[in-house]
Amino acid sequence: MERLENVDMGQYTSFRTGGRAREMVVCETAEELLGLMRSIHESGSRYIVLGNGSNTLICDAGFDGIVVRLGEAFTEIRREGDRLLCGSGALLSAVARKALAEGLSGFEFASGIPGSLGGAVFMNAGAYGGEMKDIVEEVTVVRRDGSGTAVLTGEEMDFSYRHSILEKTGDIAVSVKLRLTAGDPQKISAEMAELARRRNEKQPVQYPSCGSFFKRPEGYFAGKLIQDAGLKGLTVGGAQVSELHSGFIINRGGATASDIIDLMHLVQNIVYDKFGVRLEPEVRIIGD
Ligand SMILES: Cc1cc2nc3c(=O)[nH]c(=O)nc-3n(C[C@H](O)[C@H](O)[C@H](O)COP(=O)(O)OP(=O)(O)OC[C@H]3O[C@@H](n4cnc5c(N)ncnc54)[C@H](O)[C@@H]3O)c2cc1C
């Protein structure tokens, strides 16, 4: 178990900005994680769980608590029949590579989503018509109070749009069983390449961001509302509504977390005034 103090969270989050965390603890085994969560529970300390930080923004004032992370040992991926058993610290890109190497289909949609499998399961991440819900068979969790582990079925995960039961329970995913099907490696590879091409064409991938900033409001598309409100390119400090994809807020260089949050409020208010639709952030905003 590694403990770091006064950690610059810009290095651990894909917006590449934000304040410092009082402490970061990296666990290497489920037992370490159980022990840590027990002690956090007993002491009542504040904490968050962080995956790859691709959907998390830490406020400039930082986070006066413990950032819990899963270490290298949680990145293993192995095949069992048509299933992949993955540590939840594994990156989606690594899972996609393994699925391709094993000739397993079903994970193509997620191959270009940044982040860890744990974060993707928590968020029920999705793209191009697929979502984690479709392929997650089981998730092994460590209970938030460190009282033990449990195995949840896909149904018990209560997945819906960008939501899973982990949001409510605070349990931590440590491993995930994915249900895939045997496929033709050439077709799998071609599909992944095509989705990567579409992503690179439509998204401002060269700038730090958290992807689509807002959730899709029922019956609308956030990016379209923002564009129709004339907000493409709107800038606060170093933060900007992407010119390429209005659903993205990007760090054009030197953005503070406050720039991003101020821009978020501005976009929310203008879209609400024009269309009466309340945009809710998909990005998890953490801190003091
Ligand atoms: C350029 C870009 C493109 C993107 N495109 C997409 C897209 O197409 N579709 C999409 O859905 N998202 C997209 N995203 C958002 C992001 O990639 C996903 O939300 C991803 O699933 C986040 O994973 P993470 O590990 O980085 O999560 P983090 O940001 O680290 O965490 C997100 C949430 O998950 C929780 N969490 C993390 N790990 C665990 C765990 N092991 N157990 C329990 N909870 C955990 C955290 O506490 C936090 O609440 C994009 C982001 C970027 C930067």
Side-chain angles (χ1 to χ4, degrees), residues 12 14 48-56 70 88-89 92 109 112-128 162 166 170-174 199 203-205 207-212 248 282 284 286:
Y12 292 91
S14 66
I48 59 164
V49 178
L50 191 72
N52 198 50
S54 318
N55 208 31
T56 301
L70 304 180
S88 59
L92 299 182
F109 77 89
I113 302 178
S116 69
L117 196 53
V121 163
F122 178 97
M123 297 295 304
N124 185 24
Y128 304 113
R162 299 298 173 265
L166 304 185
D171 292 344
I172 302 167
V174 289
R199 208 172 260 280
Q203 299 184 0
V205 288
Y207 290 105
S209 78
C210 272
S212 295
F248 278 52
E282 178 179 314
R284 321 274 306 173
I286 308 286

